[in-house]
Amino acid sequence: MSDLNALVEATKATLQRIADEFTPAVFASSLAAEDMVLTDLILRAKLPIGIFTLETGRLHKETLGMVDRIKETYGYDVALYKPETDAVDAYVKQNGLNAFYDSVEMRKECCRIRKVEPLNRALAGNKAWITGQRRAQSTTRAELAVQEDDAAHAMTKFNPLADWSEDDVWNYIRTNNVPYNPLHDKGYPSIGCEPCTRAIQPGEDVRAGRWWWENPESKECGLHVVDGKLVRIKAVSHA
């Protein structure tokens, strides 16, 4: 069993180093449990790290409600980045509202419009970005490093919770009374857009409910992928 206190201290040190050496930096929050841990650590320490989320237009109401919960709890306004209206309208007109069910290509194009393009705008002008990704989340993230060289965005990418387990996340949330998405109590360990996320059954992989109609190896939205490959080519070590 991992030592949660040691993990917390290591994560705090990583976040402080980001604030000291990589300003300006931003945290891309999905408003899920992992991201609420990082939100709590960043805002409690009053670190100069901006927090944003991608408001795709297809999120659960419970997920959007977390923006208000963060405001109520921490007095912080999470920045919302939305897709370009013209691009969404063109996709729907040409392919249909739910064309992402038809093929991996259609699904990835929807993700590109609703998530990847807004992400690029959110990251512009920053030296580093932070995610809540963990190695234990899926097979596609097994090689995740805490610090990576993100050549696609010409910046450094940090995954401060890479070493954390699911139990670590929830132990921190309960110990520190951190607000969390109520969908987690309804069988949703991993939460994305509403039509692309379902609750999982006991024993299933934590990301089994994401794009459940696809093969596991294709289950990335494109935020961490370039030319079909995970942007995880070069991990960066530091003393």
Side-chain angles (χ1 to χ4, degrees), residues 55-235:
E55 209 292 71
T56 65
R58 303 297 301 268
L59 299 179
H60 298 79
K61 67 181 187 300
E62 292 90 343
T63 300
L64 283 175
M66 292 307 299
V67 173
D68 292 333
R69 294 283 302 281
I70 291 170
K71 175 68 172 180
E72 294 165 2
T73 305
Y74 305 99
Y76 184 87
D77 291 308
V78 174
L80 303 180
Y81 282 82
K82 300 179 180 181
E84 297 289 353
T85 301
D86 289 347
V88 172
D89 290 346
Y91 177 92
V92 172
K93 182 178 181 180
Q94 181 175 350
N95 306 296
L97 180 63
N98 295 326
F100 42 81
Y101 291 130
D102 295 340
S103 69
V104 173
E105 291 71 26
M106 279 288 95
R107 195 270 294 168
K108 288 185 176 180
E109 177 62 8
C110 185
C111 288
R112 185 192 68 79
I113 293 169
R114 294 182 183 272
K115 300 174 76 173
V116 177
E117 190 280 328
L119 175 75
N120 291 338
R121 280 188 274 120
L123 296 184
N126 288 282
K127 291 183 179 179
W129 67 299
I130 301 166
T131 85
Q133 293 185 103
R134 297 183 295 107
R135 295 189 195 104
Q137 286 174 323
S138 71
T139 56
T140 62
R141 297 179 179 180
E143 303 300 322
L144 189 69
V146 171
Q147 181 175 342
E148 300 174 322
D149 178 18
D150 184 355
H153 296 104
M155 63 176 62
T156 304
K157 178 179 175 182
F158 288 90
N159 309 294
L161 302 184
D163 296 327
W164 288 49
S165 69
E166 188 84 0
D167 286 343
D168 293 327
V169 169
W170 285 104
N171 285 339
Y172 182 91
I173 286 174
R174 295 185 180 105
T175 300
N176 295 280
N177 197 29
V178 176
Y180 64 87
N181 192 324
L183 288 175
H184 290 306
D185 291 333
K186 299 178 181 180
Y188 290 78
S190 179
I191 304 168
C193 291
E194 184 169 14
C196 297
T197 310
R198 66 163 174 79
I200 68 169
Q201 298 301 314
E204 281 191 293
D205 182 88
V206 294
R207 281 175 64 83
R210 302 291 297 278
W211 311 295
W212 66 92
W213 62 94
E214 295 182 9
N215 292 324
E217 61 268 19
S218 69
K219 291 187 176 187
E220 289 289 349
C221 61
L223 297 184
H224 313 290
V225 177
V226 173
D227 295 332
K229 297 181 180 179
L230 284 176
V231 183
R232 192 152 299 132
I233 297 171
K234 183 180 180 183

